[in-house]
Amino acid sequence: MALRDTVDFLLYDWLQVEALNQRSRFADHSRETFDAVLDTCERIARDKFAPYNRTIDTQEPQFDGERVILPQATHDAHAAYAASGMLSAAQDYDIGGMQLPYVVESAANAFFACASVSIGGGMLTVGNANLLMAYGSETQKQVFAHHEFSGRWSGTMCLSEPQAGSSLSDITTRAIPDGEDFASDPLGSRYRLKGHKMWISTGDHELTENIVHLVLAKIPGPDGMPIPGVKGISLFVVPKHRVDAQGKLTGQRNDVALAGLNHKCGWRGTVNTLLNFGEGKYPDAQGQAGAIGYLVGQPGEGLRCMFHMMNEARIGVGMAATMLGLAGYYASLDYAKARPQGRAMTAAGKDPASAQIRIIEHADVKRMLLAQKAYGEGALALALYCARLVDEQRTGEATAANEARLLLEVLTPIAKSWPSEWCLEANSLAIQVHGGYGYTRDYPVEQYWRDNRLNMIHEGTHGIQGMDLLGRKVRMEDGQGMTLLTQRIHATVAQALQQTDQAGHIADHAHALNDALQHVQRATDMAWQEGAPTQALANAVPYLQAFGHMVLSWMWLEVERVSQGAGSENLGRRTAAQFFFRYELPKISAWLQVVAQRDMTCANMPEDAF
C-alpha cells in the first residue's frame, strides 16, 4: 500500500478532516484544496528530495573556514519547498499563508520526511517563527517571523551547550544589556550575548539570506551574578546578519561565528554546528565584541517560551522517525516481493528441484514486514491524531480546546519517543529482510537506520521523556489530561464492542486495550504510592514504553474500527491491528511490573560494580 493511500485513509476516513471546513478559519477549503496540497508536496518530494537522499548522505556539509558548502541538490530542494508555500501553510492569508489545518500540513510534510529526512523541510524555521508569533513583539513578528514564513530567512533553536547537554539549568551563555538605551530598541530590549551553543541544526549555511537564531541565555541578577536554575533563563532572537526595524539587512555581520561542524552517523545532509556567540570574530562598527540579541517575552521566562518550539519539534521528530520507519518498510516490502530464495516446505520436505519462492512467502519474513507496518502506520496515526488535536486547540470552542491542550500534554512524550524507538526497530527489521545486502550501501535501508538512530536523542532522550510523562504529565492539573485520555480510550472500547467483524477479533482487542489501560493506571498509582520521586521515576523509561504501547493499541483499535470494509487495504490494516494486539501489547506486563514494584535494581547498582 502506498503512503498516499494510508494518508488519505487516516485523514478522510478516520479523522474526518473535511469537517474542519465548517469552521470559519478553514471555510475556503475542501477536499479538493487539501488534495491539491498533498499532490504538490508528494510531487516535490518525489522529484526534488527522494532522488538525492543518497547524495546528501555521501556529500556531507563542508566548512572551508568561511562558509558552509552544500550539494546543489540541497539548494534546489530548499528552493522548491519554500516556493510551495508550505513554510506558511497554516498562517493567516494576510501574511501569505494558506490557513490550512495543521493536520493537513503535517500530512503533507510527511512526504518530504519519507523522501529524504535530512535535506529538511523547514521544521525548525516554522517552529522558530511560530514561537515568535506567540511570544514576540509586533515588530519581531514582522521583521523575523514573516521573513521566515516567506522562505527568505531560516531559523534555529540554540539550547544545548558543550558542557551542559540537556541540563539547561547549567548553561553559561550570558546576556548583558547593551548600553543605557538597551530597553528602547524597536526590535526589543537589546543585549550582547557571549557563550557557546552545541548541536545546532542548520546553524550556518547559505540557503537563505539570513538565519534567525533563538538563543537561551542568562541575564545577570542585581548582584551581577547569574540567577541559578532555569528561572534565570531568558530567550533572545539573534540574527546572523544585523537588520533594522524594517527588516532590511544592514550589511553588518552579527558576532555569531561557526566554530565547526558535527558529523553524525545519520541526518548527514543537515548542517549541524558548534556556534560561538560574541567571541569577537565579527565585532560591531566600534570594534566591540558580543552577539546582538533582542529579548523575546519577559526576562526569566525563556524556557517557558522555548517550550512552544520544543513541543512542536518533539512532534516533528516523532513524525520524522515515523516516516523513516515507513520508508524502510516500503523498501523491504519491494525487496521481499522480488527476491527469490528458498523453497516451499511440504509434508515430504523441500524439493530441491522445485522453483525458488520469493522471500515474502516465508512466514518469518511476513512477521518482520507486518511488524514494520504495525509500527509505522500506527505511529503515523498517532502523529496525525496529535496534529488534529492542535487544530482543536486553535479553533475549537473553549471546552474542546482545553481538552485538546490537556491531551497533547500527555501524548507529546509518546508522539516523540514511541516512533523514535519502534520505527528504529522497523528499520532494523528492514535491514534483516534484505539479508546481507541490507548492510551495504547498494540499498537504502542502512541509511534509514542511521538517520533514525538520532531521533532517540533529538529533542530529549527517552529518559527525559519518561520522567516528563510519569513525573509531570499524568499528574499535572490534578491528572485532568490522564482522565481525558482514559475517557477517550473507554469511548473507543465501547464503540468497538458494538461492532462486529468477520473474524471476531475486534471485541477481543477492545477488552485487551481496556485491561492494558487498567494495568497502566495501577502501575501509575503504585509508582507514586510512597510519594518518593527517586523511587517513582527509577523506571520511567519502562513506564514510557508501556504507556506508549497502550496508546498505540488505542490507535490501532481506532483504525480497526474504520477498516471493516472489503478490500486488501482494509484487510492489511485489520491484520496489522491483530499483530499489535497479539505480539506487542502483551509486552507491557514486564515493563509495568518493575514500575509498580518501584524496583531499584538499576538505581542502586554501585558504580564500582559495573
Side-chain angles (χ1 to χ4, degrees):
M1 186 188 306
L3 173 60
R4 180 60 182 274
D5 295 330
T6 302
V7 167
D8 285 348
F9 168 82
L10 293 174
L11 287 180
Y12 299 123
D13 296 327
W14 176 44
L15 293 174
Q16 301 289 314
V17 298
E18 290 176 273
L20 288 169
N21 301 332
Q22 299 173 13
R23 301 182 181 184
S24 58
R25 180 169 182 80
F26 310 125
D28 293 338
H29 288 293
S30 63
R31 175 157 184 172
E32 287 71 26
T33 62
F34 294 161
D35 281 345
V37 171
L38 297 173
D39 290 342
T40 298
C41 291
E42 188 176 20
R43 174 180 54 79
I44 296 172
R46 181 182 63 245
D47 296 345
K48 297 294 185 180
F49 284 64
Y52 307 104
N53 190 46
R54 179 64 78 186
T55 300
I56 55 92
D57 184 64
T58 56
Q59 298 180 24
E60 294 184 63
Q62 299 296 318
F63 179 41
D64 66 3
E66 293 296 329
R67 65 189 186 95
V68 174
I69 301 169
L70 293 167
Q72 184 60 43
T74 302
H75 289 266
D76 295 341
H78 179 271
Y81 185 82
S84 74
M86 286 303 294
L87 288 166
S88 59
Q91 302 304 311
D92 295 346
Y93 292 135
D94 59 9
I95 63 170
M98 304 183 207
Q99 293 189 189
L100 271 183
Y102 180 66
V103 64
V104 177
E105 177 190 11
S106 296
N109 278 323
F111 294 107
F112 298 103
C114 190
S116 182
V117 72
S118 69
I119 286 182
M123 178 183 76
L124 291 174
T125 295
V126 173
N128 179 305
N130 284 339
L131 183 152
L132 290 171
M133 293 298 288
Y135 294 105
S137 67
E138 287 303 315
T139 301
Q140 289 172 344
K141 294 175 187 178
Q142 294 174 14
V143 170
F144 298 110
H146 291 186
H147 279 95
E148 291 181 271
F149 287 136
S150 74
R152 289 181 58 198
W153 299 356
S154 59
T156 74
M157 56 192 303
C158 300
L159 288 72
S160 298
E161 296 182 2
Q163 83 293 339
S166 299
S167 182
L168 295 179
S169 62
D170 295 317
I171 64 172
T172 59
T173 299
R174 299 290 180 262
I176 308 297
D178 182 40
E180 295 182 358
D181 63 343
F182 80 99
S184 60
D185 195 298
L187 289 174
S189 294
R190 188 180 63 251
Y191 290 76
R192 287 185 182 265
L193 277 68
K194 295 186 178 182
H196 312 282
K197 293 294 181 178
M198 184 58 131
W199 312 118
I200 310 306
S201 295
T202 68
D204 203 346
H205 54 76
E206 295 185 349
L207 297 171
T208 55
E209 65 183 32
N210 205 359
I211 301 175
V212 179
H213 302 293
L214 284 175
V215 184
L216 293 181
K218 291 188 174 183
I219 301 172
D223 59 356
M225 300 297 292
I227 300 171
V230 297
K231 292 182 179 179
I233 298 175
S234 299
L235 178 64
F236 301 87
V237 56
V238 183
K240 175 181 177 179
H241 298 285
R242 298 280 299 276
V243 301
D244 62 22
Q246 286 70 49
K248 296 180 180 179
L249 299 178
T250 66
Q252 183 177 356
R253 178 75 181 262
N254 206 354
D255 196 10
V256 182
L258 174 60
L261 302 181
N262 301 306
H263 296 282
K264 299 182 177 181
C265 75
W267 286 66
R268 291 180 175 178
T270 298
V271 184
N272 192 272
T273 64
L274 168 62
L275 297 178
N276 291 339
F277 290 82
E279 69 174 1
K281 184 173 183 178
Y282 302 103
D284 63 15
Q286 290 73 43
Q288 188 174 356
I292 298 299
Y294 307 96
L295 183 68
V296 178
Q298 298 300 312
E301 295 188 359
L303 196 56
R304 183 177 72 86
C305 295
M306 185 57 88
F307 264 110
H308 190 284
M309 185 176 181
M310 290 167 65
N311 284 332
E312 278 194 33
R314 284 172 175 174
I315 294 175
V317 165
M319 178 64 90
T322 296
M323 301 320 299
L324 283 165
L326 283 172
Y329 166 56
Y330 298 140
S332 61
L333 178 60
D334 288 343
Y335 184 84
K337 288 180 177 180
R339 169 73 172 178
Q341 186 170 314
R343 288 168 174 82
M345 179 67 73
T346 68
K350 294 181 181 180
D351 179 3
S354 64
Q356 287 186 316
I357 62 174
R358 296 166 304 139
I359 62 172
I360 197 171
E361 298 177 61
H362 295 295
D364 194 56
V365 173
K366 287 185 177 182
R367 174 190 64 82
M368 292 187 285
L369 292 171
L370 194 51
Q372 293 177 66
K373 180 180 178 69
Y375 299 152
E377 292 184 10
L380 182 57
L382 175 61
L384 294 181
Y385 182 83
C386 288
R388 179 62 184 80
L389 288 176
V390 171
D391 285 318
E392 197 63 36
Q393 185 179 359
R394 292 175 177 173
T395 65
E397 55 87 18
T399 299
N402 188 54
E403 290 183 355
R405 175 188 67 83
L406 289 165
L407 283 167
L408 275 170
E409 291 280 8
V410 174
L411 291 176
T412 294
I414 306 302
K416 186 274 171 186
S417 290
W418 197 92
S420 299
E421 179 171 2
W422 295 99
C423 289
L424 178 67
E425 174 62 17
N427 290 138
S428 180
L429 291 171
I431 292 173
Q432 193 76 4
V433 169
H434 280 74
Y437 288 109
Y439 302 120
T440 72
R441 295 198 175 190
D442 297 327
Y443 292 88
V445 288
E446 61 85 27
Q447 182 184 343
Y448 295 144
W449 188 93
R450 285 188 289 104
D451 285 340
N452 218 351
R453 184 58 185 83
L454 276 63
N455 290 319
M456 291 183 72
I457 295 176
H458 278 159
E459 301 309 321
T461 64
H462 273 28
I464 290 172
Q465 303 297 334
M467 288 189 289
D468 183 42
L469 178 66
L470 179 56
R472 193 167 73 89
K473 294 298 180 65
V474 297
R475 307 171 75 215
M476 65 182 289
E477 299 184 40
D478 297 322
Q480 290 184 66
M482 186 63 186
T483 299
L484 282 167
L485 179 63
T486 299
Q487 292 171 351
R488 297 284 176 102
I489 293 174
H490 282 160
T492 299
V493 168
Q495 290 172 320
L497 289 174
Q498 293 175 359
Q499 292 182 238
T500 57
D501 62 334
Q502 294 177 347
H505 297 313
I506 196 167
D508 292 339
H509 298 165
H511 288 304
L513 174 57
N514 191 62
D515 291 344
L517 173 61
Q518 293 179 14
H519 200 169
V520 167
Q521 290 172 321
R522 287 195 301 270
T524 306
D525 293 339
M526 290 295 292
W528 286 105
Q529 190 174 49
E530 301 295 329
T534 301
Q535 293 182 3
L537 301 178
N539 295 290
V541 167
Y543 180 83
L544 178 76
Q545 292 170 313
F547 199 106
H549 263 50
M550 177 197 70
V551 168
L552 265 292
S553 297
W554 174 40
M555 292 293 100
W556 271 117
L557 188 58
E558 278 283 303
V559 168
E560 186 179 13
R561 285 198 314 104
V562 190
S563 303
Q564 291 305 312
S568 59
E569 295 88 353
N570 283 326
L571 176 60
R573 296 185 188 104
R574 293 196 301 270
T575 306
Q578 181 173 329
F579 174 89
F580 202 89
F581 276 96
R582 292 189 176 181
Y583 286 73
E584 292 295 328
L585 188 58
K587 294 177 180 178
I588 73 169
S589 294
W591 291 324
L592 291 177
Q593 182 176 0
V594 294
V595 175
Q597 293 177 347
R598 300 183 296 282
D599 190 287
M600 299 298 285
T601 299
C602 298
N604 290 340
M605 174 70 168
E607 180 180 335
D608 58 5
F610 279 100

